[in-house]
Structures are given as structure tokens and as C-alpha cells.
Amino acid sequence: MSDICRIVFPLYEGVTQLDFTAPHQFFNRMPGARTVVASMGGRDIEADGLVFARLADLAAVEACDVLCVPGGFGTTAAMLDEDFMAQIRRLGGSARYVTSVCTGSLILAAAGLLQGRKAACHWAWRDLLTPFGVEVDEARVSRDGNVFTGGGVTAGLDFALVVGAEIFGEQAARSVQLGLEYAPSPPFVGGRPEEAPAEVLALVRQMMAAAVADRQAGAEEAARRLKAALATA
């Protein structure tokens, strides 16, 4: 790889901003990193009340060393957007590292980039990886060869340090960690379902219940399309 490491974050409607802004902040401090945030047509993307503008046109990005796909509640629609998925397939097919945060792994899976691999995902949606022939990994950061995947949202911070150490070296990653004072010390334990109080877990599951059927249907349709494409390849 050249001295410049090109890292592309493909955005779509309904993306969770911290899924990409957290690793973007870390990667952007790494020596030799060049980050590109892109969307289809370079259109503005609203995420969690923030608007990301002046984006690159994803279709015009020739190649990248690292493809980093964020997740979000727009994952289902993104998986079924053939134009968007064609760009994920194209860039991921030649990237040195194929990576994701949260449900971004579902997009990679739907693109056929994770078959026979293990991958992480947000705890609530891990099982949706199975129809794509992916081995579910419950780790906060998972590695399988050149595939790095992070768990839900904030896992993107740890994910960025793991990927950063792999590409830029441990000293560079440690320097960025110190410079950004990443020394998490939450006021309570409960960021994973096995650690959360039963009543909190029940509340969060209830909040997510409305999205379950839609995401399940979307994942099944994306898996069907992938299977059909592979059968005719």
C-alpha cells in the first residue's frame, strides 16, 4: 500500500451518525490517512438531526484501501437499493480492508462480501447475518482476515483503534487514543444485553420491536437477491 491510505465512508439516508463520525475522528488523526465521506450523487445526508454536506459522489470514487460501512435504521432500504449496493460491491471487491460498524455488516453481507466469514453487528440484529451465510460473532470488534466489523454504534471507537493499529501501527493508534483522551469510564454497566438490568433490556427491546418485522423482511429479500445473483454468476 502507498503512503496514503484511502478510507471511504459510504452514507445513505437513515445512517446513524456516530457509526461513522466516531471512527472518522480516529482515522482522520492517523498519519497518512485520507478519509472520504460519500453518498450517491454526492447528495446531502441527514443523520440524527445533523446534515452532512459537500460529500463526494460515491459512484465517482475510483477505489479505496479501506471501505467502512456504517449502520443505522436506514440499513434495510440501503440493502435493497441496487445502485447503492452496486457501489458497495465494486469498492469492497478491490479494497484491501472491508469493514463496518453496527448494522453496516448487513450491507456488506447483502453485497456478498462476507460469505463464509464471521462478523459482528449490533446485538439486536446479529441474527439477520445468518441468511447471508455469515458466522455471527458476538465480539465488540471482530476480525476475519481482511474483514473487520464492529458491534453496535459506540463499538466504532474500539473498532477504529483495532483497524488503526493494523494499518498504521500500534504506536500511531495509541497516540491517537491519548490525543483524543479515549479512556471510557461509564457511570454504570449495561451497554450489552447480558449486562443490562432485565427491566432496561425489556424496555429497549420494546422500543426496537417496531423495526423487527421490517428489518427481517428486508434482510430476507436482500438474501434472496444475493442468492439469485450468485446462482446466475
Side-chain angles (χ1 to χ4, degrees):
M1 184 164 49
S2 68
D3 293 338
I4 299 299
C5 179
R6 300 160 298 172
I7 304 172
V8 172
F9 294 88
L11 304 191
Y12 51 89
E13 292 298 332
V15 70
T16 294
Q17 64 87 7
L18 194 60
D19 281 10
F20 73 90
T21 53
H24 181 277
Q25 178 70 76
F26 275 76
F27 289 150
N28 220 36
R29 298 285 181 96
M30 299 288 178
R34 178 178 296 166
T35 55
V36 177
V37 183
S39 63
M40 293 299 292
R43 68 176 182 269
D44 294 355
I45 296 291
E46 182 176 354
D48 301 317
L50 302 176
V51 177
F52 295 87
R54 298 172 62 185
L55 305 179
D57 181 354
L58 186 61
V61 177
E62 293 184 2
C64 62
D65 298 299
V66 181
L67 178 65
C68 184
V69 182
F73 284 106
T75 298
T76 303
M79 286 192 297
L80 301 178
D81 182 335
E82 295 292 353
D83 292 336
F84 177 78
M85 292 302 293
Q87 302 308 321
I88 298 299
R89 238 175 254 114
R90 177 180 65 84
L91 290 169
S94 61
R96 182 172 180 180
Y97 296 98
V98 175
T99 76
S100 66
V101 176
C102 197
T103 53
S105 58
L106 293 175
I107 292 175
L108 292 180
L113 298 171
L114 298 184
Q115 284 200 308
R117 303 290 196 114
K118 66 178 181 179
C121 189
H122 187 288
W123 62 265
W125 315 108
R126 290 176 191 145
D127 292 345
L128 297 183
L129 287 168
T130 303
F132 297 101
V134 180
E135 179 186 344
V136 176
D137 190 345
E138 296 184 3
R140 186 162 172 84
V141 182
S142 174
R143 178 179 187 176
D144 187 338
N146 70 329
V147 173
F148 289 78
T149 51
V153 194
T154 62
L157 295 162
D158 297 336
F159 155 89
L161 286 173
V162 172
V163 175
E166 164 72 16
I167 298 174
F168 305 100
E170 184 175 322
Q171 185 177 51
R174 284 180 173 274
S175 296
V176 173
Q177 178 183 15
L178 178 58
L180 294 176
E181 199 175 347
Y182 179 52
S185 181
F188 36 76
V189 174
R192 293 175 65 90
E194 62 270 20
E195 299 172 340
E199 64 275 14
V200 173
L201 178 58
L203 176 62
V204 174
R205 287 193 184 279
Q206 182 180 2
M207 292 167 59
M208 293 180 169
V212 171
D214 178 60
R215 283 203 161 178
Q216 181 71 45
E220 290 175 356
E221 173 59 19
R224 184 195 67 76
R225 293 185 186 184
L226 177 61
K227 184 177 180 179
L230 292 174
T232 58

